[in-house]
Amino acid sequence: VSDHGKNYGSNYEINYFYKSIPLVFYAPKIITQAHNITKLGCQADLFPTLMNFLGINYVNNTMGVNLFRETRKYVPHSQHSTVSAISDSMMLIRREDGTNQLFKYRNLDLTDYSAQYPQIAKDMEEYALSNLQASMSLIKNRKINFIPILHK
C-alpha cells in the first residue's frame, strides 16, 4: 500500500489512475490459497479490513469499510477544490463552482454522461459532498487528528 500509484496521465481534472493502488496481503501461514478480489476501496478501508484479516475484535469508528464483508458503491476523492465519487465504471467530478461532469473513466471516455444518467450523477454528487462535509466536521470538532505533511 502506498499513497500514489503510477501516473499514467489523465484526461480528467482528477487523475484517478494516479490514485489506483493495489492492496496486497502476504501471509503464507494464514493465506494458503491466492485470491484476487477486485473491489473499490480506499485508504480509510485499511483499518477495518486489516482488523478483520487478523481476526482482531474492533469497533469501527472510521469512515472505512471492511472490504472482506462489504462492498463500496462509491469511493470519495478530492483534489484541491474539486471533489469526486468513483464507482466501478463511472466518475463524477464536482468543481468548486458547482458544475458536475460524469464520465465512464474505465474507457478514458471524455463524454459527459450526467444528462443521460441524472440519478447516478445526483447520487454520486451527494455521496462526494457528504463525505467531504463529514470529514470537515470531524476535523473541525477535533474528533480526528489532522497532521499536515510539510514538504521541504
Side-chain angles (χ1 to χ4, degrees), residues 2-6 14-22 41 77-79 86:
S2 66
D3 68 342
H4 292 91
K6 180 165 176 42
I14 290 183
N15 190 343
Y16 162 76
F17 298 103
Y18 194 48
K19 304 291 184 185
S20 181
I21 306 160
H77 180 70
S78 64
Q79 185 172 309
I86 300 166

Side-chain angles (χ1 to χ4, degrees), residues 30-58:
I30 299 172
I31 303 172
T32 58
Q33 186 175 8
H35 299 277
N36 184 16
I37 301 170
T38 56
K39 286 186 174 184
L40 288 174
C42 63
Q43 288 180 339
D45 302 329
L46 285 175
F47 173 74
T49 302
L50 188 57
M51 292 298 102
N52 177 83
F53 178 75
L54 295 173
I56 298 173
N57 289 328
Y58 65 97

